Amino acid sequence: MAFTVAIDGPAAAGKGTVSRAVAAHFGFAHLDTGLLYRAVGQRMLEGTDPVEAALTLRAEDLDREGLRADPVAQAASKVAAIPEVRAALLDFQRAFARRAGGAVLDGRDIGTVICPEAEAKLFVTASAETRARRRFDELTGKGEAADFDRVLSDVRTRDARDMGRPDAPLKPARDAVEIDTSEMSISQAVAAAIAVIEDRIKERNDHENG
Ligand code: CDP
């Protein structure tokens, strides 16, 4: 049976961590849709036309090195503003969402555009400073040189581009439950997400049995 969990939110809010934990908890498949845009962005940086890259994206493009690097993130948010790129990635995401056994998709427009019918919708957010701090700690933890103000301005630039684009802008779906993780630990954020999804599963079961 299909059951879709849509998890949206801005850069570095903790969507990835929450999504992976939720998928593992319920035994659902997980798709990090940001990787699709990152893979297209990476190919654009290598000189491929982004629409062409999106139309010919292969599974192995999602495993390439460097997809998590900041220049690729910025390139991803540029190609993500191109309607033909988004259109090329739509069917794959929708098919993934409706696969048997349940699916968690995380991104920017999952609850609004990709799966408006998702059974559970979450909007995971945190202040820009908190998100930049987490990203900064992650970089320095890996031994990479990082400048906090630069990380913060990168986060803000990407948020502005994601929220300001006309096609599928980042915003909470009307029926999404917002989880602000600014003052939460990872386990608190995961527990909050699981509680919302358990409610939705129960509602669906009650509806089907009654
Ligand atoms: O992990 P992080 O939140 O930093 O970024 P990501 O989820 O990997 O997404 C990278 C970029 O892809 C975002 O800044 C968006 O511009 C774009 N994106 C999108 O437009 N729609 C999605 N469903 C997912 C990502």
Side-chain angles (χ1 to χ4, degrees), residues 8-13 15-16 32-35 37-38 67-68 72-73 76-78 80-81 86 93 106-110 114 135 158-159 161-162 165 168:
D8 292 303
K15 293 184 308 288
D32 169 359
T33 65
L35 274 186
Y37 296 91
R38 284 172 182 266
L67 280 182
R68 294 276 163 211
V72 174
S77 77
K78 287 181 189 157
R86 306 198 73 83
Q93 294 177 82
D106 76 89
R108 301 290 186 285
D109 63 337
I110 309 302
I114 305 294
R135 182 83 188 113
R158 201 139 64 86
D159 284 354
R161 214 183 273 131
D162 291 348
R165 68 185 175 220

Side-chain angles (χ1 to χ4, degrees), residues 74-93:
Q74 294 295 341
S77 77
K78 287 181 189 157
V79 302
I82 305 171
E84 292 83 357
V85 167
R86 306 198 73 83
L89 303 175
L90 192 72
D91 288 348
F92 173 74
Q93 294 177 82

Side-chain angles (χ1 to χ4, degrees), residues 163-192:
M163 293 190 280
R165 68 185 175 220
D167 190 23
L170 169 65
K171 62 172 181 201
R174 258 188 300 127
D175 50 350
V177 176
E178 187 165 321
I179 300 179
D180 185 328
T181 68
S182 303
E183 307 291 330
M184 285 183 181
S185 66
I186 289 174
S187 57
Q188 285 171 323
V190 170

